[in-house]
Amino acid sequence: MNRNILSSTVQSFIRRHAQENASSIALKKSPFTAVSSSELAQQISGRQKVSIKIPTWLEQGKPLYFPEKLNLEQCSSAKTGKFKASLLSPSRRLLDVTGGFGVDSYYFAQRAKGVIHCEINAELSQIVAHNFQELEVDNVQFHTGDGLTFLTSSNERYDYIYTDPSRRVKNQKVFRLEDCEPNILAYQSLFFEHSDILLTKLAPLLDISGALNVLPQVKDVYVISIDNDCKELLFVQEKSFQGIPTIHAVRLSTDEPQIFSFTYTQEKESVPVMGEPRSFLYDPDVAITKAGAFKSVATAFGLQKLHPHSHLYTSDNFVSEFPGRVFQVQQVIPFSVFKKNVAIAKANIIAKNFPLKVDDIRKKFKIKDGGEAYLYFTTLFDDRHVVLYGIKHMLA
């Protein structure tokens, strides 16, 4: 950590060039003898990422220090950090075994009595400690070193143990739980010796069912999305829990989290009604589809499903609580008719359970992207291929 970066003159330079391309800064000669151009580029690039992920950190105008790009890629956003912190009981103690850039520790500290942030990368640990001092967070202790080694030598118990294993090993992305670092499957006994509740953040591409097969005592799984983009999975394990896990599809696009909860037993037993497209078309948020609530979301909201594998829903009356996008259906066009007679120059195209992909549809029919019209190319319950022309519902 180069503390010369924290000087007022260097900080002023970083703020003045905050919107510039960091790569161009790296190619220019640095105006400072103690700070290289590559270090300036790293700070500018990091500031840009933090302005998107955790904008409130920059609002105070404090001289924060930003680590290498890789350390910022896996860190949580403000929205996901706040949500995870809301799951904690207040005034408890939490151990963050894999602290990283500290975003989750920061938000846990807003609710917890105290947080211990462990980070094996000495420079990154130093950076986080500096930033937290600037951000006036005074209930976080920092341990520079391997969090697992710290836990092994500890005689204390914690209300929560949090881990966020790295999904990049030897510069390669990994998606299986056992391939992450650390391999938390090998330390389950150690974790439960020191806490009754384990919180584990995992990659959004991880197979949920596969993780449930290898992680013991999972009580809850949170599938968290922002703007229809699945950001992360959170597994909550409780030492005494022996029941069926509850799956929560969490949509953070609105002011208040929108949560749809179900179990895989409920999903298996749900028998939604199949039906023709009606006045409203419902396209579920990615949190719903990643969670696997294909049938239970239909029965919960009283919707009909267009096809067992299309994962599109319909109703005569508008359901405002639906977790996803809602469209007013203007026209249902048989695909055979669309191929011959329909000429639409511009539209948003979605293909679900349909033989053609979106790019193929655009090329075939010369339809430009954008506009207010939405065209859903899909298959109905009797295997008819149709095109649903709709516009977004104003209150959806």
Side-chain angles (χ1 to χ4, degrees), residues 205-369:
L205 292 179
L206 182 87
D207 177 62
I208 296 174
S209 296
L212 289 174
N213 288 334
V214 294
L215 283 175
Q217 283 86 50
V218 177
K219 183 180 180 182
D220 297 280
V221 179
Y222 294 87
V223 182
I224 305 172
S225 77
I226 299 175
D227 296 329
N228 205 30
D229 182 11
C230 190
K231 294 298 185 181
E232 60 188 65
L233 308 177
L234 182 72
F235 284 69
V236 180
Q237 299 165 258
E238 288 195 12
K239 192 172 184 178
S240 60
F241 184 74
Q242 298 294 333
I244 299 171
T246 300
I247 315 297
H248 309 271
V250 182
R251 192 179 181 218
L252 298 181
S253 300
T254 55
D255 292 336
E256 291 295 324
Q258 189 176 17
I259 304 175
F260 179 77
S261 303
F262 68 105
T263 67
Y264 283 145
T265 299
Q266 291 172 334
E267 174 65 17
K268 184 178 180 180
E269 294 176 351
S270 293
V271 184
V273 176
M274 300 293 155
E276 297 277 345
R278 299 182 182 277
S279 299
F280 295 95
L281 177 71
Y282 301 84
D283 188 356
D285 186 85
V286 67
I288 294 290
T289 54
K290 173 63 182 179
F294 304 119
K295 298 187 295 182
S296 49
V297 74
T299 55
F301 291 100
L303 305 176
Q304 294 186 357
K305 212 167 185 293
L306 297 187
H307 186 282
H309 304 301
S310 290
H311 310 319
L312 291 170
Y313 311 87
T314 190
S315 71
D316 283 320
N317 300 311
F318 174 55
V319 179
S320 61
E321 299 84 6
F322 181 79
R325 299 188 296 179
V326 186
F327 300 87
Q328 289 180 286
V329 178
Q330 306 297 303
Q331 194 175 1
V332 180
I333 309 167
F335 184 59
S336 58
V337 174
F338 188 91
K339 286 194 295 184
K340 297 176 182 178
N341 302 323
V342 178
I344 297 178
K346 190 175 184 180
N348 301 280
I349 296 176
I350 299 95
K352 288 198 173 187
N353 190 22
F354 196 76
L356 295 177
K357 295 180 180 180
V358 171
D359 288 344
D360 298 329
I361 293 170
R362 289 200 182 282
K363 290 178 183 178
K364 185 179 180 66
F365 299 105
K366 297 179 174 57
I367 302 174
K368 294 182 179 180
D369 186 28

Side-chain angles (χ1 to χ4, degrees), residues 110-178:
Q110 311 305 306
R111 189 167 177 85
K113 179 180 180 181
V115 174
I116 297 178
H117 174 280
C118 298
E119 175 49 50
I120 196 169
N121 182 325
E123 183 180 27
L124 183 57
S125 181
Q126 188 180 19
I127 288 171
V128 178
H130 162 78
N131 288 343
F132 277 32
Q133 183 178 11
E134 293 294 332
L135 294 168
E136 299 180 358
V137 179
D138 58 6
N139 61 337
V140 176
Q141 299 176 29
F142 296 93
H143 171 75
T144 301
D146 185 2
L148 295 171
T149 302
F150 174 85
L151 189 59
T152 301
S153 61
S154 173
N155 294 320
E156 295 189 54
R157 285 185 59 81
Y158 306 91
D159 297 299
Y160 302 93
I161 290 178
Y162 177 74
T163 58
D164 178 8
S166 175
R167 278 95 69 181
R168 188 180 288 275
V169 180
K170 296 179 180 179
N171 294 322
Q172 296 292 323
K173 285 189 176 181
V174 296
F175 304 105
R176 297 194 310 165
L177 190 54
E178 56 268 33

Side-chain angles (χ1 to χ4, degrees), residues 84-116:
K84 283 176 287 189
S86 73
L87 302 176
L88 304 186
S89 297
S91 302
R92 303 294 173 89
R93 295 176 68 240
L94 179 143
L95 174 66
D96 188 343
V97 177
T98 53
F101 187 50
V103 177
D104 287 321
S105 284
Y106 174 85
Y107 286 103
F108 287 143
Q110 311 305 306
R111 189 167 177 85
K113 179 180 180 181
V115 174
I116 297 178

